[in-house]
């Protein structure tokens, strides 16, 4: 069984392809060519991020992230806490 990325999209756990071959296979032919070109020229330090970005395309995750950043920029309370706050609560 090939490895997968697991993430939450729209409140649901989703598993996404996580190898070059399975990500390419999930793409339409015209997008696969773009994927190949980007992967071939990605530095080793960037390759995991490039693969994750391609795996997430078409899932709605981008729109979800865009909405979250829009809310944050508008100063809305999205329920986020600073990492130090989490650590302090866990130690108590």
């Amino acid at each position: 069984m090939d490895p997968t990325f697991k993430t939450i999209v729209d409140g649901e756990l989703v598993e996404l392809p996580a190898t070059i071959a399975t990500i390419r296979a999930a793409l339409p032919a015209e997008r696969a060519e773009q994927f190949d070109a980007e992967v071939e020229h990605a530095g080793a330090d960037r390759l995991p991020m490039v693969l994750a970005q391609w795996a997430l395309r078409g899932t709605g995750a981008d729109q979800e992230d865009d909405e979250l950043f829009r809310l944050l920029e508008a100063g809305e309370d999205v329920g986020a806490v600073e990492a130090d706050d989490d650590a302090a609560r866990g130690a108590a």
Side-chain angles (χ1 to χ4, degrees):
M1 179 186 256
D2 288 315
T4 59
F5 289 120
K6 294 180 184 176
T7 192
I8 304 293
V9 177
D10 197 25
E12 298 289 325
L13 177 66
V14 293
E15 289 191 50
L16 303 167
T19 68
I20 292 171
T22 57
I23 294 169
R24 182 186 303 111
L27 296 170
E30 64 277 1
R31 303 293 313 269
E33 289 180 22
Q34 294 171 332
F35 169 76
D36 287 341
E38 188 169 347
V39 167
E40 287 176 5
H41 296 283
D45 61 328
R46 290 199 57 248
L47 189 56
M49 181 60 67
V50 169
L51 294 176
Q53 288 171 335
W54 276 94
L56 283 165
R57 290 187 183 180
T59 65
D62 288 344
Q63 294 85 355
E64 197 172 288
D65 289 347
D66 290 345
E67 176 63 11
L68 177 60
F69 285 115
R70 187 192 66 72
L71 291 171
L72 290 169
E73 287 174 347
E76 297 286 332
D77 180 6
V78 296
V81 295
E82 292 184 32
D84 291 341
D85 291 344
D86 285 343
R89 276 192 223 112

